[in-house]
Amino acid sequence: MINMETLYQIGYGLFVVSTRDGKKDNGCIVNAFQQVALTPPWLCLSISKLDYTCELIQKTGEFCASILTESTPFDIFRRFGFQSGRTLNKFANFPDKKRAENGLLYLTKDCNGYICGKVREERDCGSHIVFLCDTTEAQTLSSEPSLTYAYYFKHTKPAPPKTKTKGYRCKICGFVYEGEPLPDDYICPICKHPASDFEKIE
Ligand SMILES: Cc1cc2nc3c(=O)[nH]c(=O)nc-3n(C[C@H](O)[C@H](O)[C@H](O)COP(=O)(O)O)c2cc1C
């Protein structure tokens, strides 16, 4: 038996993964990013096929992950996690950024370090593409504690507003699906998380 709730007990960090399409920089909030080998220090990054970031990494083979800190305001999630770079420039008017050696942007605020990767292999895993990558650069910026997914839920994400609406709320971003029942294959239009990440509004 698979209790999907048990998978929530896995701990994650949170990152802004930046990419570039030649002219325009893009950034996307990601939790599914990890170092998975020591020698060499290989990285694993899992990106939803619906994200523009997925297309850009497949095209360029490169990314830069900014490690977010507990100081990160919810606005960073709104900017990089709840809208797509397909239709707008998420780094426009964003002051706290610099370029890494591979030319991609990293955050200079609310970020304690950044790690750049180059794709070695990619694997189609259904909803996501999993990229196995070499580390090409890694720099520490501060000793502020890294933001965890658990901390984000407890302290960063605002409490959902009280509503009389009947339906289901996305636990990741707060989007409300009005209706009954929630289709099993439903995907949040805002943060692209699946039906299993929705809770019934009581
Ligand atoms: C807390 C949080 C965690 C997320 N984790 C991931 C992730 O691990 N992988 C992923 O592909 N998308 C993840 N997302 C969703 C993307 O950040 C979101 O779909 C983003 O708008 C995609 O932007 P893009 O189309 O410009 O790439 C997450 C969103 C949030 C708010």
Side-chain angles (χ1 to χ4, degrees):
M1 169 196 160
I2 297 173
N3 180 355
M4 291 304 285
E5 298 274 310
T6 310
L7 302 189
Y8 285 121
Q9 321 232 110
I10 298 175
Y12 299 93
L14 280 164
F15 311 87
V16 170
V17 168
S18 75
T19 44
R20 196 172 152 80
D21 73 357
K23 285 184 244 80
K24 192 173 79 180
D25 293 288
N26 194 42
C28 159
I29 299 287
V30 168
N31 64 279
F33 173 60
Q34 259 193 344
Q35 179 187 345
V36 290
L38 187 58
T39 343
W42 279 2
L43 307 165
C44 186
L45 175 68
S46 177
I47 303 289
S48 164
K49 288 178 186 172
L50 301 174
D51 291 348
Y52 184 43
T53 297
C54 189
E55 202 180 308
L56 292 183
I57 297 180
Q58 287 184 304
K59 203 159 98 183
T60 64
E62 292 203 283
F63 70 90
C64 178
S66 295
I67 306 166
L68 296 175
T69 57
E70 289 180 357
S71 59
T72 309
F74 191 61
D75 269 357
I76 294 285
F77 291 89
R78 265 203 211 98
R79 177 184 284 263
F80 294 108
F82 300 165
Q83 48 187 4
S84 180
R86 272 197 193 87
T87 49
L88 59 97
N89 183 349
K90 297 193 211 177
F91 274 107
N93 309 314
F94 185 81
D96 309 308
K97 61 190 180 207
K98 272 192 184 159
R99 290 204 185 272
E101 285 168 5
N102 64 4
L104 299 179
L105 291 173
Y106 63 89
L107 275 55
T108 52
K109 194 164 172 267
D110 306 312
C111 167
N112 62 18
Y114 65 92
I115 301 170
C116 297
K118 202 174 177 69
V119 176
R120 182 172 268 276
E121 283 170 38
E122 67 171 69
R123 180 84 184 255
D124 188 326
C125 295
S127 59
H128 287 58
I129 300 284
V130 170
F131 298 99
L132 187 60
C133 312
D134 285 313
T135 301
T136 56
E137 188 189 357
Q139 296 292 343
T140 301
L141 302 178
S142 82
S143 57
E144 255 198 84
S146 301
L147 178 62
T148 64
Y149 216 177
Y151 187 100
Y152 166 78
F153 278 120
K154 205 164 173 199
H155 303 287
T156 314
K157 196 178 134 236
K162 296 252 176 285
T163 169
K164 290 207 171 90
T165 311
K166 286 199 167 36
Y168 293 81
R169 181 182 291 112
C170 174
K171 288 192 267 187
I172 313 299
C173 72
F175 172 79
V176 172
Y177 173 87
E178 292 182 30
E180 181 75 60
L182 179 71
D184 286 346
D185 59 354
Y186 191 71
I187 302 278
C188 177
I190 306 296
C191 72
K192 315 292 188 307
H193 278 242
S196 56
D197 283 329
F198 279 68
E199 61 192 353
K200 198 167 171 40
I201 303 171
E202 301 296 352

